[in-house]
Amino acid sequence: MKTNKVVKSKAKAVKKVEKTIAKAAAKQVKAVKKTENKALKKAAKNVKALKKTERKVVAAAKKAVKKTEKKIVSAAKKTTGKIVQTVDKAAKEINKKAGVVKNAASAVSSKVMPKEQNSDKLTPQEIKEIEKHLLEMREEVQNRIKSKKEHEMPETEVGDEADVASQSLDKEVLFELNGNAQALLDQIESALRRISKGIYGTCEYCRCQIPKKRILALPFARYCIRCQSSNEGIKR
């Protein structure tokens, strides 16, 4: 009997201790949860503060970038404006000098070039008449060359020395005549090409107007009298 009481007493004590331990453990768990909740709230608060700070930093950075961009654009506009003003000023100076040079050149040209030069310029009607004359000349020369070729004497296989010498002389004369006619034909063709290109009547060397008297006398002339004389002197 005594033993049973002791066992019961110990069991009761153990249960009491267990309850005490359970209560303490529950209390500690509750304290831990409370601490954890506080830490979570503090962390959330810190995150919120960080986000707020981040937004402020981003806004400040954007504001600074825009301000700097405006300064750069303003400075670029000022520099561009100055450059444009400088270029305009330089352009005006160049135009002014060009006008002076042009006036000087015009004055020199009026002194150096004959006053009657403008009157030497061929009219479209005159050029048309010259072209017609050149075409007639070309046809005449072509017919002359054709006629001479048809009348060339064939070579003979027999004959004395006098006949051979006579035939040889006749051929030399014909060749020379044909050569001159071909050269004249080339000059006529060249003149017709210049008319078609719209540069007829202009000296091919100095680009000045060939005097009308020279053109009318020599419709296939390529140079003015001065340049023609110079070329002939060089060739000599």
Side-chain angles (χ1 to χ4, degrees):
M1 291 292 291
K2 193 174 179 179
T3 302
N4 290 333
K5 285 182 180 180
V6 172
V7 171
K8 287 180 178 180
S9 178
K10 286 181 178 181
K12 191 175 180 181
V14 169
K15 285 182 178 180
K16 192 174 180 180
V17 170
E18 286 179 354
K19 284 181 179 180
T20 303
I21 291 170
K23 284 182 180 180
K27 193 174 181 181
Q28 286 180 356
V29 170
K30 190 176 181 180
V32 168
K33 284 185 176 180
K34 190 175 180 181
T35 304
E36 185 180 351
N37 288 334
K38 285 182 179 181
L40 288 173
K41 286 180 179 179
K42 191 174 181 180
K45 191 175 180 181
N46 289 336
V47 169
K48 190 175 181 180
L50 285 172
K51 286 184 177 180
K52 189 175 181 181
T53 303
E54 183 182 357
R55 285 196 294 270
K56 286 182 179 180
V57 170
V58 171
K62 286 182 177 179
K63 190 175 180 180
V65 168
K66 285 184 178 180
K67 191 175 181 180
T68 305
E69 185 180 351
K70 285 181 179 179
K71 286 183 179 180
I72 292 170
V73 171
S74 179
K77 284 182 178 179
K78 286 181 180 179
T79 305
T80 304
K82 288 180 180 179
I83 292 171
V84 170
Q85 288 178 357
T86 305
V87 171
D88 287 342
K89 189 175 180 180
K92 287 179 181 178
E93 287 293 327
I94 291 170
N95 290 333
K96 188 176 179 181
K97 290 179 180 180
V100 172
V101 172
K102 188 176 179 181
N103 291 335
S106 178
V108 171
S109 177
S110 63
K111 290 180 180 180
V112 174
M113 300 303 291
K115 293 182 178 179
E116 296 180 357
Q117 185 176 4
N118 292 332
S119 63
D120 282 337
K121 191 172 182 179
L122 296 167
T123 64
Q125 183 61 31
E126 288 173 334
I127 293 175
K128 193 172 181 180
E129 290 176 1
I130 291 171
E131 183 180 16
K132 183 180 178 182
H133 179 54
L134 286 169
L135 290 171
E136 290 174 354
M137 287 178 66
R138 182 177 68 177
E139 186 178 358
E140 183 182 346
V141 173
Q142 286 173 342
N143 291 334
R144 193 187 309 166
I145 293 172
K146 185 178 178 181
S147 176
K148 286 176 182 177
K149 286 182 178 179
E150 289 175 353
H151 288 83
E152 284 183 0
M153 291 181 298
E155 293 185 0
T156 56
E157 295 181 358
V158 294
D160 56 17
E161 292 181 359
D163 292 334
V164 173
S166 177
Q167 290 175 6
S168 177
L169 181 60
D170 289 339
K171 283 191 175 184
E172 286 180 7
V173 172
L174 285 170
F175 285 146
E176 186 176 353
L177 290 173
N178 284 338
N180 293 335
Q182 187 61 49
L184 178 59
L185 183 63
D186 291 340
Q187 290 178 336
I188 294 170
E189 293 286 358
S190 177
L192 289 171
R193 283 194 297 272
R194 292 197 297 277
I195 290 175
S196 65
K197 291 180 181 178
I199 57 174
Y200 181 77
T202 303
C203 177
E204 292 184 9
Y205 185 75
C206 67
R207 303 299 178 187
C208 294
Q209 187 70 35
I210 300 173
K212 189 182 292 187
K213 290 181 179 179
R214 178 172 171 77
I215 288 288
L216 295 176
L218 198 66
F220 41 78
R222 297 170 58 190
Y223 307 102
C224 64
I225 297 174
R226 184 185 300 174
C227 294
Q228 182 70 42
S229 301
S230 300
N231 289 337
E232 289 175 357
I234 292 170
K235 287 178 182 179
R236 289 173 188 172

